[in-house]
Amino acid sequence: MSKLHIKKGDTVYVNAGEDKGKTGRVLKVLVKDNKAIVEGVNMVSKHTKPNAKAPQGGIVKKEAPIHLSNLNVLDPKTKTPTRIGRKMNEEGKLVRYSKKSGEEIK
């Protein structure tokens, strides 16, 4: 299995689909399915029965997974969507960097 270009905590831009143009923070990456859950993106309505957490029950809005191919990481310098590369830094550690600005992505 290859490494993914997106990690939990990254700020991403949605470049395809219903939420095209939105940005958000990655909450969870589903490696097996090649999908990610992004804060405030791809919202769905779930009907819930009354339980301890929601005593009323009703309709709950929550984020659904979105495919990684529809996401681009935002460049930390220019705040625009960019592709990701990997290179060795001075300490010999493999780090991700922005292809646009060359800035290292934390």
Side-chain angles (χ1 to χ4, degrees):
M1 193 180 307
S2 65
K3 283 212 173 222
L4 302 176
H5 66 285
I6 289 174
K7 286 183 177 180
K8 179 182 176 180
D10 282 349
T11 305
V12 293
Y13 173 85
V14 181
N15 57 20
E18 190 179 304
D19 294 315
K20 183 177 180 171
K22 287 187 181 177
T23 60
R25 197 169 44 90
V26 176
L27 302 174
K28 188 175 185 179
V29 178
L30 307 169
V31 179
K32 220 176 212 178
D33 303 326
N34 270 342
K35 293 185 178 197
I37 296 174
V38 182
E39 195 173 43
V41 174
N42 201 19
M43 299 297 282
V44 293
S45 299
K46 298 286 270 182
H47 292 68
T48 58
K49 289 174 87 173
N51 58 26
K53 216 179 218 182
Q56 270 310 103
I59 301 170
V60 177
K61 290 264 193 194
K62 65 182 279 186
E63 293 97 354
I66 186 167
H67 201 272
L68 294 178
S69 65
N70 297 331
L71 301 174
N72 267 69
V73 177
L74 285 182
D75 191 322
K77 203 176 199 178
T78 61
K79 303 291 184 219
T80 56
T82 182
R83 291 177 299 135
I84 296 298
R86 291 183 188 83
K87 65 180 176 184
M88 293 286 200
N89 65 0
E90 298 80 45
E91 296 97 50
K93 192 174 179 188
L94 193 65
V95 294
R96 298 180 310 149
Y97 73 97
S98 162
K99 292 269 190 170
K100 270 189 181 171
S101 67
E103 192 85 10
E104 196 173 298
I105 295 173
K106 304 283 186 259

